[in-house]
Every structure is written in structure tokens, then in C-alpha cells.
Amino acid sequence: MAFQQGLSGLNSSSKALDVISNNVANANTVGFKAGRAEFSDVFAAALNGAGGGTQVGIGAAIGAVTQLFSQGNITTTNNPLDVAINGNGFFRMSASDGTIAYTRNGQFDVNKDGFIVNSQGYQLTGYAATNGVILTGGEPQRLQLDFSDVQPNQSSQMMLTMNFDSREPISPSFDPTNPAPLDRTNPTAGGYNFSTSATAYDTLGNAHTLTFFFQKTAAGTWDGFYQVDGTGDAIAIPAPGSPLQFDTAGTMTAGGQFDLTFPEFAGTGASATQTISFNLADSSQFGSAFGVNTLRQDGFASGRLTGITIGDDGVILGRYSNGQSRDLGQVVLANFQSPNGLLSLGGNLWAESPDSGQPIVGVPGSANLGLLNAGSIEEANVDLTAELVQLIVQQRAYQANAQSVRAQDQILQTLVNLR
């Protein structure tokens, strides 16, 4: 029987060497999970039980080749489309025919149609976004980046917070047809004390420069004027926006909020009735230099997608040339009750099987799913040192089993030679 036992040992060691060699070969494969050959002993079935304690095994066999789904090291690549999973879960991928596969390899790219794909052409799935709103729940869809321009948003509100220098001399006059700064060495010539500018956007997203002029007409009192795109006469800000008035503590008491309509915007084809609400109520008048502390407005021009960022929760954030950003979708992860039951498809892909159980799908960070690390990859979890040691062990085991076969051959030869 030693021939059979030795042969089973040779086969088992050969299979183990195959597993080790596969691990070593994939030491640089992103997201690869090392395999492990699990040995089991083999006994011949006997009707009379254990044969009085003299039953001898008939060799060894490979009971299973399992994969070790331990975490691999995460390495930074600075490629925003490289994504590593830190924790449990698999990326859910869809083939062009709808076949679903799962992977830990997060090396992605964008194809000509805007789909996020891997090297095999499988498309990453998740929850899509409509107008920047992610529609969570339901069946995950193939994620497709929208490269269309972001529509502009007209300015409707603007906040300006300034400090007006209380030490400024009074200006006796201001010429709106030729705005000129006050000559502080000769204030009787008149002019504006301070000016500042802000950008506003019309209904088509065209940028317009609004220049504001402020003339101190009395202690704590300032008249305001504005000019559009640096042309034409300066226009007096109507009440209640002008005059701006401050009390002796430097707090604004009047003129802080007003609306202006800009027929000048019609020159670019935009609406001539656009109205912007201005808020200067938090401005002050202290004995310090004039300065703008806050300038905010809600308009922006149209913009094109210039880049994406994937958050640890899987949200894909698009960045646009107009400085805006919006959500483009959210990556989902899938996990299984028994990952070792997954069917290996090659190319770092696995498929669901009856042994793995059904996928549990969710967003990164939910339940027992891991988080994502964008700009990184997960290295193979192969320990080369341990694998090379096991390579030597299995090589010696193979040699030892060969020796047992040789020994049995010599014993049989001795029996044959008996006279």
C-alpha cells in the first residue's frame, strides 16, 4: 500500500507547490488574495471498523484550496481613479451583458462613454446622481460620469461686509460722469472716499464687474454709487440703500439692505430685469482703515468637469471649471457570508455561487463594509518570505514521498529475488 500512500503524498505536495507558485507569481497583482492548500488524511473504509486499532491510512489529499481574504497593504498612487478598500467588501462590477462580478482590485479608468471601468472592461456600479442628488437604494447601476456643462446660476443675492474709516474727511461733491477719488490733501475738490468691486453673473452666466463708490457726506453718513463693467455714469444707490448711516458706536443703523435691477445685462443677451438683493448690514464704521471683510454672492458661470474625487464613503464628487462641485454618484460595496465560496473567474474577479451566499450590498462604511481610500491601491496579501519557506517545505515533502515510493520498490525487488 506504500505505493498508493507515497503517490498521494506526491500529488498533494505537487498541488501545494502549484498554490505556492501561484501566490508568488501574483505577489504584485493588485487586490490578489493568497491561496492556501489544506491537507487531509485518507483512510480506507472498513466494514469491521477500525480493525482492532491496526488501521493504517492510505495517504493524504488536498481537502480544499482556500483563499485568505485578509487585508493587503494600502499604497498611495496619487491617481484619483485608483481606489482601495480598507476593510470588508468587494467592488461590484457589471459586464456589458449584465453579468455581475466582484473584485478587490480598484484600478479604474473612464472609457469613451464616461463609464468607470477596470482593465477587463467591467463597469463599476453604484447609486447614480441626478442634478447633484444621489438616489440611494434600489438596484445599483453602472456609474457614468456626466461631462455636460453645468448650467450657470444668476446672481440673486450678495453680501458685503466692510469697515468705513471714521477718520475720513467729508467730501463735498461727487461727479457720477467722471468718478474720481478724493484728494485728501485738498478734500474741497470732492470725489469718492472709497471704492470696491464685486463680480455678478447674469442669466446666461456672463460675469459683470460691479464697482461701488462711497462718498462721506457727513459724520457717520455715506452716499453710495455703482457702475456696471466700468462704463457709463455711476448710478446713485436708491433708498433705502443710500445713505449708509452709522451711530457713534460704529454700528450701521440704516441703508444696510437694498435691491438693484440691472438693465445693462441685456447687452450680453441676458435678462434686462435681473434683480440682486444686497446686504451690507454687518458693515461698521471704526477708526481703522477701510477694508472688505466679507464678499459673497450666489451666482456662477457655466462650467466643465475638470476632475473627480472619490470620498471614503464612495461619493464621487465632480469639480468644475467654474469653481463649483457636485455629486456624480456613489460607489457601493458587496460582502458575502462566505467569501471562500466565491467562484474565481480570473482577472481578479469573483462570481457569486451557492456556497458564497447572496451579496449584501451597501455604501462604504455601512454595516460591516469597509471604507474607501482614493488615490491608493491594495497590494496582494502575499507574504513572500512565508511563501518561500513553504516552497522549501513542500519541496522536501515531495522528496520524502518519492523516497517512500523508492523504499517500497526496493522491498518488492527483494521479494522478487527470493529463491
Side-chain angles (χ1 to χ4, degrees):
M1 197 184 295
F3 277 126
Q4 183 177 351
Q5 294 160 335
L7 183 60
S8 69
L10 289 173
N11 289 333
S12 298
S13 293
S14 178
K15 185 73 171 180
L17 285 169
D18 289 342
V19 174
I20 295 170
S21 297
N22 186 59
N23 290 343
V24 174
N26 285 282
N28 292 319
T29 301
V30 173
F32 176 79
K33 298 304 176 184
R36 180 179 65 188
E38 297 181 351
F39 290 79
S40 61
D41 58 348
V42 180
F43 277 83
L47 295 177
N48 61 348
T54 62
Q55 186 180 14
V56 178
I58 59 174
I62 297 295
V65 177
T66 60
Q67 288 190 291
L68 307 177
F69 285 94
S70 59
Q71 179 73 47
N73 293 330
I74 293 178
T75 302
T76 301
T77 66
N78 295 320
N79 181 350
L81 286 174
D82 284 344
V83 187
I85 301 174
N86 190 358
N88 297 323
F90 299 82
F91 295 110
R92 184 180 182 274
M93 312 298 295
S94 176
S96 56
D97 61 358
T99 301
I100 301 300
Y102 304 90
T103 184
R104 293 279 297 193
N105 186 346
Q107 292 176 302
F108 299 121
D109 200 356
V110 179
N111 68 11
K112 63 182 180 61
D113 298 317
F115 290 102
I116 301 175
V117 298
N118 66 4
S119 58
Q120 287 83 28
Y122 280 73
Q123 297 162 344
L124 182 65
T125 66
Y127 298 127
T130 301
N131 295 326
V133 179
I134 298 175
L135 308 176
T136 57
E139 184 73 9
Q141 306 295 319
R142 295 177 295 173
L143 292 173
Q144 184 178 25
L145 301 183
D146 184 4
F147 288 95
S148 59
D149 287 2
V150 172
Q151 293 185 351
N153 187 61
Q154 70 179 56
S155 300
S156 62
Q157 296 181 347
M158 184 177 293
M159 172 178 284
L160 280 164
T161 302
M162 300 170 284
N163 178 69
F164 293 85
D165 192 343
S166 63
R167 300 166 298 180
E168 278 290 301
I170 294 174
S171 173
S173 61
F174 174 77
D175 183 3
T177 63
N178 184 28
L182 178 70
D183 182 358
R184 289 167 177 79
T185 61
N186 182 25
T188 58
Y192 62 85
N193 296 75
F194 302 114
S195 70
T196 189
S197 61
T199 300
Y201 295 89
D202 62 27
T203 55
L204 297 178
N206 296 302
H208 298 273
T209 300
L210 307 181
T211 303
F212 295 92
F213 305 97
F214 298 100
Q215 173 198 5
K216 185 176 183 180
T217 57
T221 302
W222 301 76
D223 281 347
F225 302 83
Y226 70 94
Q227 189 179 52
V228 179
D229 293 329
T231 60
D233 295 346
I235 304 171
I237 297 176
S242 184
L244 305 176
Q245 294 184 326
F246 298 88
D247 62 18
T248 55
T251 303
M252 181 175 286
T253 58
Q257 296 180 334
F258 55 92
D259 295 340
L260 296 178
T261 301
F262 296 92
E264 297 89 350
F265 290 178
T268 60
S271 172
T273 60
Q274 180 177 343
T275 298
I276 301 177
S277 297
F278 292 85
N279 186 349
L280 283 66
D282 291 332
S283 296
S284 59
Q285 180 188 256
F286 298 132
S288 56
F290 173 83
V292 178
N293 302 316
T294 303
L295 173 56
R296 294 198 301 267
Q297 60 88 34
D298 57 356
F300 51 83
S302 62
R304 293 184 176 179
L305 186 66
T306 58
I308 64 170
T309 302
I310 301 178
D312 59 4
D313 57 356
V315 173
I316 304 172
L317 184 70
R319 303 188 307 274
Y320 293 84
S321 58
N322 58 358
Q324 300 299 305
S325 61
R326 68 176 180 180
D327 295 340
L328 301 177
Q330 186 171 20
V331 179
V332 299
L333 297 179
N335 204 11
F336 297 85
Q337 293 291 344
S338 177
N340 262 310
L342 291 170
L343 177 64
S344 181
L345 302 177
N348 270 0
L349 295 171
W350 289 274
E352 175 189 348
S353 77
D355 293 333
S356 68
Q358 294 185 338
I360 303 169
V361 179
V363 298
S366 65
N368 66 338
L369 296 172
L371 296 172
L372 302 186
N373 279 36
S376 304
I377 56 172
E378 180 189 8
E379 296 179 350
N381 64 348
V382 176
D383 184 342
L384 278 178
T385 302
E387 296 296 332
L388 293 176
V389 170
Q390 283 299 311
L391 190 65
I392 296 172
V393 169
Q394 294 304 325
Q395 182 182 12
R396 296 306 183 201
Y398 192 94
Q399 293 172 338
N401 280 288
Q403 283 295 101
S404 73
V405 173
R406 179 180 298 175
Q408 183 67 15
D409 176 60
Q410 291 174 347
I411 291 171
L412 289 177
Q413 185 65 38
T414 299
L415 290 175
V416 169
N417 291 334
L418 287 176
R419 295 290 190 270

